[in-house]
Amino acid sequence: MGFFSDFKAFLMKGEIVTLATAVIVGGAFGKIVTSFTNDVLMPPIGLLLGKVDFKNLKVVLQEGIPAVVENGAEIAPAVAEVSINYGAFIQTVFDFVIIGFCIFMVLKAYEKTKKKEEAVAAAPAGPTQEELLMQIRDLLKEKK
């Protein structure tokens, strides 16, 4: 087999399709959690902490300077503000904790179903069809 046929076989395996689906769903779930954190969770927390908007919490290391424009021509370019945006970091930590908790809950449920499946699989199996037929044969021999 050539490289491309091996690659095609790899892509067509069920695991890679499942992984791709999980990545897509995970990305969408991440956006939902980010929106929940930014738009639902953080505003009340900010209100409780004295009307703080976490998005705006930062330490400014260098103030930004707007561009200087004269007669429509830019004389001096703008200088961007340099800051440490710790408020955005706090929101990202909240996102991480929420996603981690959700994944933890899903894995706990998965483990619980796996344990049930293993318990059913470990249960002693009844006699096979052949064993039953041999028992019937032996009983019929004893009756003669």
Side-chain angles (χ1 to χ4, degrees), residues 6-7 9 21 23 30 37 41 50 60 66 68 73 75 78 83-84 87 92-93 103 110 118 122-124 132 141 143:
D6 287 345
F7 184 64
T21 303
V23 167
T37 304
L41 186 64
V60 178
V68 178
I75 298 173
S83 61
I84 298 173
T92 303
V93 170
I103 290 172
Y110 176 75
E118 289 172 0
L132 287 174
K141 281 183 181 179
K143 282 189 178 183

Side-chain angles (χ1 to χ4, degrees), residues 64-95:
I65 301 171
V68 178
V69 179
E70 268 186 27
N71 298 328
E74 187 176 298
I75 298 173
V79 175
E81 177 182 84
V82 178
S83 61
I84 298 173
N85 302 316
Y86 66 92
F89 177 74
I90 291 171
Q91 285 188 314
T92 303
V93 170
F94 271 99
D95 287 351

Side-chain angles (χ1 to χ4, degrees), residues 7-23:
F7 184 64
K8 181 181 175 187
F10 168 74
L11 289 179
M12 293 302 146
K13 284 184 180 177
E15 295 85 17
I16 196 77
V17 173
T18 303
L19 178 63
T21 303
V23 167

Side-chain angles (χ1 to χ4, degrees), residues 18-119:
T18 303
L19 178 63
T21 303
V23 167
I24 292 167
V25 171
F29 181 69
K31 288 181 182 182
I32 290 169
V33 169
T34 298
S35 175
F36 174 76
T37 304
N38 294 343
D39 304 326
V40 177
L41 186 64
M42 297 309 279
I45 291 173
L47 185 63
L48 290 172
L49 295 176
K51 298 182 181 179
V52 175
D53 183 7
F54 279 85
K55 293 177 194 168
N56 296 329
L57 293 177
K58 61 185 172 184
V59 174
V60 178
L61 302 175
Q62 177 183 328
E63 292 288 335
I65 301 171
V68 178
V69 179
E70 268 186 27
N71 298 328
E74 187 176 298
I75 298 173
V79 175
E81 177 182 84
V82 178
S83 61
I84 298 173
N85 302 316
Y86 66 92
F89 177 74
I90 291 171
Q91 285 188 314
T92 303
V93 170
F94 271 99
D95 287 351
F96 175 77
V97 170
I98 292 169
I99 290 173
F101 178 74
C102 291
I103 290 172
F104 172 75
M105 296 304 291
V106 167
L107 288 177
K108 290 295 277 185
Y110 176 75
E111 288 174 3
K112 197 174 196 179
T113 59
K114 278 295 186 190
K115 285 181 183 176
K116 285 181 182 178
E117 288 175 7
E118 289 172 0

